[in-house]
Amino acid sequence: MTNSEQLPEQQSDSSTNGRTKPAWNRFVEQHPQHHFLQLQQWGHFKEYFGWQSSTVFTSDSEGAIRSGSLVLYRPLIAQKPFHQLPTMTIGYVPKGPLVDWHDGAAVQELLDALEKDGRQNGAGILKIEPELPDTEENRALLYEYGFHPSGQTVQPRSTIHLDISGTEEAIMGQMKSKWRYNIRLAQRKGVTVRQGSIDDLVAFNELMQTTGARNDFFVHEPAYYRTAFQLFSPDYAAFFFAEYEGQPLAAVAIFVVGQTAWYPWGASSNHERNRMPNYALHWSAMRWAKAQGATMYDFWGIPDPIGGLAMSMPTATEAGIPALTLPIDLQNLPSGELWGVYRLKQGFGGNVIRYVGAWDRPIHPLGYRLYQWALTLRQRLARSPSGQTHPDVPLLPSSETINTP
């Protein structure tokens, strides 16, 4: 077990234009459960915003990384009227750990290392959100290793995966005909898409603010997106802008690690929406991701009830079920941020998949009981007549990332 400063020696990697790539990142890229939230840069990124990070791993006899996890630590301090509660630190593993869950010895070795690291960092609880499909077998595995379903999921549990491994014709063939039409319509109506620079982040933030106000969701401060750009671009991320006559109409941030591309952030203007900029934007992002070696385009977040429905279908597999086959009335969806983006995302085709979500494992009994109490209190407040969750209950922030058309 160690932190990122003590990882095996870095080696040159031509995929980063001759710059050195951390050994940890090379391990993440090659792992079957690779995810951009496990990159070393994500730990550095979160350190700018009040977290501490640690990279815990196990090695084989030759010193190569065998399994591991980026862990984020943060003290959860309640304010009034909960300010007299003791401070509690939580260890949070976003989209990890990276381990063969069917190799019992490897899992136990890594969990022992994670618990030791958690104790050294004063954590009372370890929260994980692994990239495991939501099946009875996977849930049983997590119970076997001492985890319990958490009352708080941080990242979206349900998403859509679009296969972009084939030709452009094959990718378009998965879409609804209206979506193919809208991609071409945007081009005919003068919409252009370009990759942005750091100077474009002012426009990106303005679009995020507009979209947040329109759909009533939280938007990060400008420094959040600027720091992400500085840490991840150009090696792992790109920001794309759809424009008309030089005016930004929509934007997305796309991350690529290994053979997967993710769309965690996106926004759009209130103007010129009839020019269908979001369709052209995603089509350009898919083509770019494919050129980077991605074979899967992850739309990142959809309403979890849709994921639950998909995984309950008789024909569902660990890969999910085709979005276009779900028995859902798209004209009568509830209102709300993820319901709105679902209309856009499902039309591109792909499979709806749901993951096991967040699971908690106690490190310190008192800290774990305190966290469970806070979750129970939060749920009770949510059921109160006001329907509001008290903002000062000591819990992790809700979803790290959000995207919207």
Side-chain angles (χ1 to χ4, degrees):
M1 176 191 69
T2 183
N3 60 36
S4 58
E5 303 306 317
Q6 299 169 305
L7 285 164
E9 182 180 358
Q10 298 180 355
Q11 300 177 4
S12 177
D13 190 316
S14 60
S15 68
T16 55
N17 300 316
R19 295 190 297 275
T20 57
K21 179 179 292 186
W24 172 255
N25 282 1
R26 288 186 278 111
F27 164 74
V28 172
E29 292 173 12
Q30 297 165 9
H31 198 276
Q33 299 161 25
H34 55 260
H35 203 285
F36 76 95
L37 295 186
Q38 278 292 303
L39 289 173
Q40 185 170 303
Q41 281 91 331
W42 190 257
H44 297 330
F45 175 56
K46 299 306 290 184
E47 287 172 0
Y48 280 92
F49 302 98
W51 298 76
Q52 293 181 324
S53 72
S54 180
T55 306
V56 179
F57 65 92
T58 66
S59 304
D60 62 21
S61 59
E62 297 180 354
I65 301 174
R66 184 170 72 159
S67 65
S69 179
L70 173 72
V71 190
L72 304 175
Y73 291 102
R74 185 173 184 172
L76 306 179
I77 304 174
Q79 300 176 2
K80 292 182 179 180
F82 306 103
H83 60 287
Q84 293 182 341
L85 291 174
T87 300
M88 178 184 63
T89 295
I90 188 168
Y92 169 53
V93 178
K95 293 299 182 179
L98 305 183
V99 65
D100 180 357
W101 285 95
H102 297 284
D103 184 340
V107 173
Q108 193 58 58
E109 182 183 15
L110 180 59
L111 291 181
D112 289 345
L114 285 168
E115 181 170 336
K116 181 179 179 182
D117 192 72
R119 290 183 181 279
Q120 291 175 343
N121 283 278
I125 182 175
L126 177 68
K127 177 188 291 290
I128 67 171
E129 285 185 306
E131 283 280 84
L132 290 175
D134 186 22
T135 64
E136 290 185 9
E137 292 77 11
N138 287 334
R139 290 192 295 271
L141 274 176
L142 294 172
Y143 276 119
E144 180 182 341
Y145 290 114
F147 288 93
H148 303 278
S150 177
Q152 185 196 25
T153 291
V154 182
Q155 307 301 337
R157 272 185 85 173
S158 298
T159 186
I160 296 178
H161 286 173
L162 180 67
D163 181 358
I164 60 171
S165 64
T167 64
E168 291 188 0
E169 291 75 13
I171 298 171
M172 275 201 168
Q174 301 173 77
M175 304 178 189
K176 287 183 174 179
S177 60
K178 182 67 172 178
W179 269 240
R180 296 193 295 270
Y181 174 82
N182 285 342
I183 290 172
R184 299 184 180 105
L185 179 65
Q187 296 169 346
R188 291 199 301 271
K189 284 182 171 286
V191 174
T192 59
V193 179
R194 65 175 177 84
Q195 186 171 338
S197 69
I198 196 166
D199 294 332
D200 293 303
L201 293 188
V202 173
F204 185 84
N205 183 68
E206 290 175 351
L207 289 170
M208 291 294 292
Q209 294 292 336
T210 297
T211 309
R214 184 176 66 233
N215 293 322
D216 192 27
F217 73 84
F218 171 77
V219 175
H220 290 289
E221 60 189 287
Y224 195 86
Y225 305 111
R226 176 173 288 270
T227 304
F229 187 98
Q230 292 170 327
L231 287 172
F232 289 96
S233 178
D235 295 338
Y236 294 108
F239 287 63
F240 292 91
F241 292 80
E243 298 176 329
Y244 175 67
E245 296 184 344
Q247 177 186 6
L249 300 182
V252 294
I254 305 297
F255 289 72
V256 174
V257 175
Q259 294 183 308
T260 306
W262 293 267
Y263 154 51
W265 305 320
S268 65
S269 167
N270 292 329
H271 307 294
E272 306 287 353
R273 295 175 70 84
N274 65 317
R275 296 183 187 277
M276 306 300 171
N278 291 294
Y279 297 87
L281 192 59
H282 278 289
W283 178 237
S284 293
M286 290 173 193
R287 296 175 70 192
W288 173 83
K290 182 176 175 62
Q292 309 310 304
T295 60
M296 187 72 69
Y297 192 85
D298 188 330
F299 280 96
W300 187 248
I302 62 172
D304 196 46
I306 292 178
L309 172 64
M311 298 303 281
S312 69
M313 300 290 285
T315 56
T317 67
E318 286 204 350
I321 192 169
L324 301 184
T325 67
L326 289 177
I328 296 174
D329 182 357
L330 297 174
Q331 303 306 314
N332 290 295
L333 294 178
S335 60
E337 56 196 29
L338 287 181
W339 291 102
V341 297
Y342 179 71
R343 292 186 180 92
L344 173 70
K345 296 176 181 180
Q346 58 83 35
F348 287 103
N351 278 13
V352 172
I353 184 171
R354 188 187 200 221
Y355 294 111
V356 292
W359 290 65
D360 298 332
R361 189 173 192 251
I363 295 177
H364 189 283
L366 179 59
Y368 183 58
R369 287 197 296 271
L370 175 61
Y371 184 70
Q372 288 183 309
W373 177 86
L375 286 176
T376 301
L377 178 60
R378 180 186 179 96
Q379 292 165 356
R380 288 178 179 174
L381 290 172
R383 292 194 296 267
S384 69
S386 66
Q388 298 296 315
T389 299
H390 198 287
D392 295 326
V393 174
L395 297 176
L396 285 177
S398 57
S399 180
E400 294 275 4
T401 49
I402 190 69
N403 53 45
T404 164

